[in-house]
Amino acid sequence: MATKKQGKEPKKSSTTSKDRALIGKRNRRRGHAYEVKIVKELKELTGDDSLCTSRSESKRTDDLGIDIVDFNNTLPFYCQMKATQAMPKIKQLDDEVKDKTKAANRQEKPLVVFWAAQEMKASKQFIAGEYCLMPKELFFSILKNLYNA
């Protein structure tokens, strides 16, 4: 029968609930700022000023896992933004968005995840690189349109 080692107390977390709340607020702010940045860049690229974040426009769209509202159907994909240290679980995100959009009778489109890879430096997080994660078919379709235009 296993016994507890005497004299050792369980480790206590060094972060309080107040600290965790502040971290959560900071992460939410960082994520929203990244969404706004990408929307601005997509507006400049496409010329579609109706593109906006789902946080500012539609709770229903945000609940589907879609971060950009595309009223004019300008983009051939749904967008999700992530500003994290760990690489997003692309397959899991893709499956969730497919299931939710299908259940909501939304048009089927591939998911593109815009990822701002975060790194810690001197106890501050910064963006170490930005990436787009997309299905291979979408990537090839973009190349085909680019080179056959």
Side-chain angles (χ1 to χ4, degrees):
M1 183 162 100
T3 60
K4 277 188 174 179
K5 289 185 179 181
Q6 296 296 323
K8 290 204 172 195
E9 292 183 27
K11 285 187 175 182
K12 293 183 180 177
S13 174
S14 62
T15 58
T16 66
S17 61
K18 185 177 179 181
D19 292 337
R20 284 189 298 274
L22 290 174
I23 290 168
K25 286 180 184 179
R26 182 193 68 211
N27 290 344
R28 184 177 184 278
R29 247 189 341 265
R30 182 177 290 126
H32 186 64
Y34 188 59
E35 288 177 17
V36 170
K37 175 185 182 279
I38 295 298
V39 166
K40 182 179 177 186
E41 290 173 355
L42 286 172
K43 282 181 178 182
E44 290 172 5
L45 185 66
T46 64
D48 185 353
D49 286 334
S50 72
L51 294 173
C52 61
T53 68
S54 59
R55 289 188 199 204
S56 68
E57 187 60 38
S58 171
K59 172 97 169 89
R60 185 175 300 138
T61 304
D62 196 42
D63 288 346
L64 294 175
I66 301 168
D67 290 338
I68 295 180
V69 177
D70 181 10
F71 293 110
N72 297 331
N73 206 23
T74 303
L75 303 173
F77 48 81
Y78 291 124
C79 300
Q80 189 161 110
M81 302 338 149
K82 295 291 179 191
T84 60
Q85 286 183 322
M87 181 179 229
K89 295 178 181 178
I90 185 71
K91 178 72 172 112
Q92 179 182 345
L93 293 170
D94 189 50
D95 289 344
E96 288 173 7
V97 170
K98 278 181 186 171
D99 292 345
K100 290 177 181 178
T101 54
K102 186 176 182 179
N105 293 320
R106 297 287 289 263
Q107 178 183 1
E108 190 173 321
K109 292 182 181 183
L111 177 68
V112 173
V113 177
F114 291 82
W115 176 42
Q118 306 286 303
E119 284 188 5
M120 292 292 286
K121 192 172 194 176
S123 73
K124 297 259 184 188
Q125 280 192 347
F126 68 97
I127 296 176
E130 294 182 77
Y131 305 91
C132 287
L133 308 168
M134 69 179 80
K136 180 181 79 172
E137 296 82 21
L138 176 61
F139 180 71
F140 284 168
S141 170
I142 292 168
L143 287 178
K144 183 178 175 183
N145 288 336
L146 180 66
Y147 289 109
N148 292 334

